[in-house]
Amino acid sequence: MRGALRHPSLVLGLTASGLFAVLALVSLVWTPYAIADIDIGRRFLGPSLNHWFGTDNLGRDMVSLIMSGTLTSFVVAALAVGIGAGVGVPLGLAAAAWGGVVEWAVLRLSDFVFAFPAIIVAILITTLFGPSAINAILAIGIFNIPVFARVARGGALSIKTLDFVAAARLAGLGNWAIAFRHLLPNIASLIIVQGTIQLSLGILAEAGLSYIGLGTQPPATSLGLLLRDAQSLFLLHPSLSLVPGLAIVIIVVALNLAGDGLRDAIDPRLKQQGGTGVAS
Amino acid sequence: MTLFVLRRLLGFAVTLLLAAAVIFFLLDLLPGDPAQFILGINATPENVAQLRAQLGLDAPAWQRLFIWIWGMLQGDFGQSYTQNAPVADLIGERLWVTMPLAILAMAIAIVVGLPLGILAARRRGKLLDTGIMVLAQTGIAIPNFWFGMLLALLFAVTLRWLPPGGFTSWSEDPAAAMRALVLPSLALALPQASILARVMRTALVDVQGQDFIRTARAKGMTMGEAVWRHGVRNALLPVLTVLGLQFAYLVAGTIIVENVFYLPGLGRLIFTAISQRDLILVRGATIVLIVAVTATMLVIDLLYALVDPRLREGEQR
């Protein structure tokens, strides 16, 4: 714990993103006003004691919308990280443990997936199944797969050369056992750091996809969808786009700070290199 | 070098071929019959069958895939059945908005981001460095389309310097077309410039510790001269890689920002196509985006080899 305190950006980042996460979770059981509570009579209200951030074009309370929208954004980004790590990490580990054809195949596959930016995947899935939050999860998740595969392979390759892995091999362990018993625990910190970064990228990506109508759909709400709702009105009522936009910026900055801080705390050597070492 | 180029070209071709196959078979899974769609619900089964034969829909899927690819190689992307025009023409027209937008944004990002990165590296640990890095950290976290909204609010509504949206075609009034692209390209450039500044700083800080900089200093160069003559050039290598990747995402990102400024680019075309279920148009537009992404990466790979001879793998010497 004392170690963590020496990294102020980690503390700040974790606290701020934790705060938003808690607000998001609270929205499951309580929001100041119900999300579906449409009341045209009180629309476009400015900030007040009753409505801290005012109300939107349908008279819905902005604080409630932000709380619930944050939850969607977090869930979408987190599930996308789950897909990316769940598929990518085993692929990367396999590439490092087996080498040869397996490694070649994993690298080519990740090159290939890189040719499909999340938005193109989202376009294809939306054409197939229609728009929904699941599209965004899949599209961002698929985009995350090669990222985690590369990080896992890179980390595992450097561990693989260490003596204890050679000892394990002498003891008769196969590739599977080495990958999961020895390589995986040692790259866990790398994966967690990358996960934090992908979580913040995922929140940005969800916002973009929902904004153009390929992601979360009403009546559910997300930070991106709030910006989509504000699109036709923001020139007249700027606060409708300011509040959700600022929420996104704060969450993403917080997650990035937490990610940078985690990396420095876990592996001080990376800090000296200047810090881009993880992704390459 | 020839071998290297040939291998990269082959990789490029295989990627595109596979991508085309993925897109084709994904969209082919969809229920619904284009022939039925074109003729409407009152069509007789005989007419539908006739049109299916005419459109070549009776052939097996893999055969239609090759006909599609063969056509694209000759510039024929098929006929859009909702807009009644060749897909190639529809896309080509929109690219006149999307491509200049992406290129302009990249140019702004380079002109702003690289010097800031160099400046931060030269003043490492000083207030200026911290200031630039805080800016960059924030810039990365700002969604480009939201930044676009803020720009429109400030420059179009409050100051009235630039149009808040819409587009005049290049042939009609090039100056107005350019003005319409200023705010969207600024919006797209912000996160890109932030990323470039960070990468440039890191790369230059790395290079500054290298032996050849010390040698240059020993020869009597000032630190500034040594960094400028030797450092920046070497630091540009990692920057180039990031530039390639970022340009690819920039092309995709234009689709989102076009939406803020009501620009008639590729994005608008794709959304219309999705809502009207014009699959031929969707697959044509997505493959064009993928070509743009993959081609950028190919060019960067080749440039990389040109700049750094060590990377020309397969060279026998």
Side-chain angles (χ1 to χ4, degrees):
Chain A
M1 192 61 217
R2 226 174 28 146
L5 287 180
R6 264 185 277 135
H7 299 275
S9 72
L10 176 62
V11 177
L12 191 68
L14 277 184
T15 314
S17 30
L19 212 66
F20 270 96
V22 168
L23 272 180
L25 286 175
V26 168
S27 80
L28 279 176
V29 288
W30 176 84
T31 48
Y33 293 82
I35 299 298
D37 202 357
I38 292 173
D39 182 352
I40 301 296
R42 56 163 207 236
R43 66 179 179 164
F44 299 131
L45 291 182
S48 66
L49 275 180
N50 286 332
H51 303 280
W52 288 5
F53 292 135
T55 56
D56 77 345
N57 54 325
L58 300 173
R60 296 179 297 176
D61 177 53
M62 273 310 251
V63 174
S64 312
L65 286 173
I66 294 285
M67 284 172 68
S68 163
T70 304
L71 180 69
T72 316
S73 296
F74 262 111
V75 168
V76 168
L79 288 177
V81 167
I83 293 177
V87 180
V89 171
L91 281 179
L93 278 178
W98 270 268
V101 185
V102 177
E103 187 166 34
W104 182 87
V106 168
L107 287 178
R108 292 293 82 77
L109 181 75
S110 75
D111 279 350
F112 181 66
V113 177
F114 264 127
F116 286 83
I119 187 155
I120 297 182
V121 180
I123 288 170
L124 289 172
I125 303 178
T126 307
T127 317
L128 273 175
F129 305 112
S132 76
I134 296 173
N135 290 352
I137 296 170
L138 280 177
I140 304 167
I142 290 174
F143 167 80
N144 280 341
I145 291 175
V147 176
F148 280 101
R150 283 174 182 224
V151 170
R153 172 177 166 269
L157 279 181
S158 65
I159 305 289
K160 199 188 165 190
T161 57
L162 299 179
D163 288 343
F164 76 92
V165 178
R169 203 171 285 283
L170 279 178
L173 259 61
N175 283 331
W176 276 110
I178 288 192
F180 282 94
R181 228 183 282 168
H182 293 297
L183 299 182
L184 184 59
N186 281 294
I187 60 166
S189 56
L190 274 182
I191 303 299
I192 292 171
V193 170
Q194 196 63 40
T196 321
I197 297 169
Q198 296 311 115
L199 192 64
S200 89
L201 287 177
I203 285 182
L204 279 177
E206 189 282 332
L209 292 178
S210 296
Y211 171 70
I212 50 175
L214 299 182
T216 311
Q217 297 295 311
T221 190
S222 80
L223 297 175
L225 194 59
L226 286 174
L227 288 173
R228 178 181 174 80
D229 292 342
Q231 164 72 13
S232 56
L233 298 160
F234 78 96
L235 294 177
L236 295 172
H237 302 280
S239 73
L240 293 187
S241 74
L242 282 180
V243 178
L246 277 176
I248 295 175
V249 175
I250 296 172
I251 294 174
V252 173
V253 167
L255 285 172
N256 285 343
L257 282 179
D260 288 355
L262 267 180
R263 181 176 51 213
D264 295 346
I266 290 171
D267 190 350
R269 277 172 306 164
L270 289 170
K271 191 179 188 177
Q272 283 160 14
Q273 288 171 7
T276 51
V278 174
S280 56
Chain B
M1 186 68 187
T2 325
L3 192 63
F4 172 79
V5 172
L6 282 179
R7 275 174 57 177
R8 285 300 143 98
L9 283 176
L10 186 68
F12 175 66
V14 171
T15 305
L16 285 185
L17 216 65
L18 283 176
V22 168
I23 293 174
F24 184 88
F25 287 114
L26 267 181
L27 295 184
D28 202 59
L29 288 175
L30 274 181
D33 180 351
Q36 183 79 54
F37 185 93
I38 294 168
L39 293 174
I41 40 170
N42 295 324
T44 60
E46 293 79 41
N47 284 346
V48 172
Q50 198 188 344
L51 188 63
R52 281 183 61 87
Q54 203 183 323
L55 292 173
L57 291 171
D58 289 333
W62 62 268
Q63 220 168 0
R64 282 182 287 128
L65 169 66
F66 279 100
I67 292 170
W68 179 50
I69 292 175
W70 185 242
M72 283 194 294
L73 288 176
Q74 296 161 324
D76 175 15
F77 283 61
Q79 187 84 7
S80 154
Y81 44 79
T82 57
Q83 313 220 10
N84 233 331
V87 169
D89 290 0
L90 291 170
I91 294 174
E93 194 184 312
R94 302 308 180 101
L95 283 180
W96 280 102
V97 179
T98 301
M99 284 323 277
L101 178 55
I103 292 168
L104 198 61
M106 200 77 234
I108 296 174
I110 290 172
V111 169
V112 175
L114 293 192
L116 282 179
I118 295 175
L119 211 60
R122 294 289 294 125
R123 300 276 182 281
R124 190 183 174 194
K126 303 271 169 53
L127 193 64
L128 187 65
D129 177 23
T130 317
I132 291 174
M133 284 306 111
V134 168
L135 269 184
Q137 181 80 271
T138 319
I140 288 173
I142 295 180
N144 49 18
F145 63 93
W146 182 63
F147 187 56
M149 289 170 142
L150 298 186
L151 286 175
L153 209 54
L154 178 63
F155 290 103
V157 178
T158 312
L159 298 171
R160 296 182 180 277
W161 289 355
L162 290 159
F167 189 74
T168 318
S169 77
W170 294 98
S171 55
E172 211 173 298
D173 185 352
M178 194 66 199
R179 279 160 55 86
L181 293 185
V182 173
L183 293 182
S185 52
L186 278 174
L188 276 167
L190 174 81
Q192 304 299 333
S194 309
I195 293 171
L196 285 183
R198 275 173 68 138
V199 175
M200 184 75 222
R201 175 185 177 277
T202 309
L204 201 53
V205 165
D206 269 0
V207 165
Q208 276 176 13
Q210 303 269 326
D211 290 344
F212 58 82
I213 295 286
R214 202 179 51 200
T215 310
R217 294 272 288 131
K219 282 192 329 192
M221 279 191 192
T222 64
M223 193 61 186
E225 278 171 356
V227 165
W228 189 247
R229 297 260 314 260
H230 302 291
V232 172
R233 244 187 247 181
N234 278 286
L236 277 178
L237 278 174
V239 174
L240 205 56
T241 318
V242 174
L243 216 60
L245 278 173
Q246 292 309 318
F247 186 77
Y249 294 118
L250 200 69
V251 173
T254 53
I255 293 178
I256 300 180
V257 169
E258 277 169 9
N259 212 39
V260 181
F261 295 94
Y262 302 99
L263 293 175
L266 209 50
R268 180 93 65 83
L269 185 69
I270 291 177
F271 296 130
T272 321
I274 292 178
S275 61
Q276 299 180 336
R277 300 187 78 66
D278 189 338
L279 302 185
I280 298 177
L281 191 48
V282 171
R283 74 181 189 201
T286 38
I287 197 80
V288 164
L289 280 174
I290 288 181
V291 169
V293 169
T294 343
T296 315
M297 295 196 186
L298 174 74
V299 170
I300 292 289
D301 262 4
L302 296 180
L303 272 181
Y304 217 105
L306 209 63
V307 183
D308 188 348
R310 283 172 301 179
L311 293 165
R312 287 175 212 151
E313 45 178 306
E315 186 113 319
Q316 303 283 318
R317 189 160 290 174

